[in-house]
């Protein structure tokens, strides 16, 4: 079987991901002094304010030590605050500092602009098809990586 068409699609996916990580969002992240992974963590904290390091590590599918390093960098940039839990002093929850909230808002505005521009030429039907195809690919990747149930199996 000729795998060239599939390899071309994979290359295009890699290129899309690379360009998504750069571009307009990169400028917003760099304005806050962040790299891609730090920007992703800031985005998550904006969605999950008060989350623990363990919660974030699970969502990011990363080692807690790696997430701790990212949090340290964001804390040095004065974007996040660590706060001890009430009754359990061992538990640390993470919150966006005001500078982090401002940076997250700038990143959200840049993301909204990028999404509008990126999908401006797509019809509703094309968007629906792309969503279905991406969901199908995501399910397959999850199975291949041991994160999901094979097609037709209970989840």
């Amino acid at each position: 079987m000729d795998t060239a068409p599939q390899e071309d699609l994979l290359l295009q996916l890699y290129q899309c991901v690379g360009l998504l990580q750069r571009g307009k969002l990169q400028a917003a992240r760099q304005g806050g002094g962040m790299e891609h992974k730090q920007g992703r963590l800031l985005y998550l904290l904006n969605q999950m304010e008060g989350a623990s390091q363990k919660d974030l590590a699970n969502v990011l599918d990363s080692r807690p030590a790696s997430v701790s390093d990212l949090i340290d960098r964001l804390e040095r940039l004065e974007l996040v605050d660590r706060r001890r839990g009430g009754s359990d002093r061992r538990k640390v929850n993470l919150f966006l500092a005001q500078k982090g909230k401002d940076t997250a808002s700038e990143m959200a505005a840049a993301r909204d602009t990028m999404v509008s521009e990126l999908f401006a030429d797509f019809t509703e039907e094309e968007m629906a098809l792309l969503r279905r195809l991406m969901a199908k690919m995501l399910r397959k990747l999850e199975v291949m990586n041991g994160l999901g149930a094979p097609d037709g199996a209970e989840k």
Side-chain angles (χ1 to χ4, degrees), residues 108-124:
R111 188 175 45 257
D112 290 348
T113 299
M114 183 192 67
V115 167
S116 294
E117 289 177 22
L118 180 62
F119 294 109
D121 297 332
F122 283 68
T123 66
E124 289 297 320

Side-chain angles (χ1 to χ4, degrees), residues 6 16 19 24 29 33 39 41 45 51 59 73 77 92-93 100 109 111 114 118 122 128:
Q6 290 92 345
C16 285
L19 290 170
K24 293 181 185 288
R29 283 193 308 273
L41 182 60
L45 272 175
V59 172
R73 290 184 212 150
L77 293 169
V92 175
N93 296 85
R111 188 175 45 257
M114 183 192 67
L118 180 62
F122 283 68

Side-chain angles (χ1 to χ4, degrees), residues 67-86:
V67 173
S68 181
D69 289 343
L70 290 173
I71 294 166
D72 289 344
R73 290 184 212 150
L74 291 176
E75 195 171 35
R76 281 192 297 275
L77 293 169
E78 301 176 347
L79 298 171
V80 299
D81 293 321
R82 288 181 165 119
R83 298 184 198 154
R84 297 270 176 217

Side-chain angles (χ1 to χ4, degrees), residues 21 25-26 29-30 32-42 70 73-74 77 107:
Q21 290 176 348
L25 289 180
Q26 183 183 30
R29 283 193 308 273
Q30 288 178 337
M34 292 179 292
E35 299 171 0
H36 171 72
K37 288 181 181 182
Q38 295 164 334
R40 186 167 178 221
L41 182 60
L42 193 74
L70 290 173
R73 290 184 212 150
L74 291 176
L77 293 169
M107 289 172 52

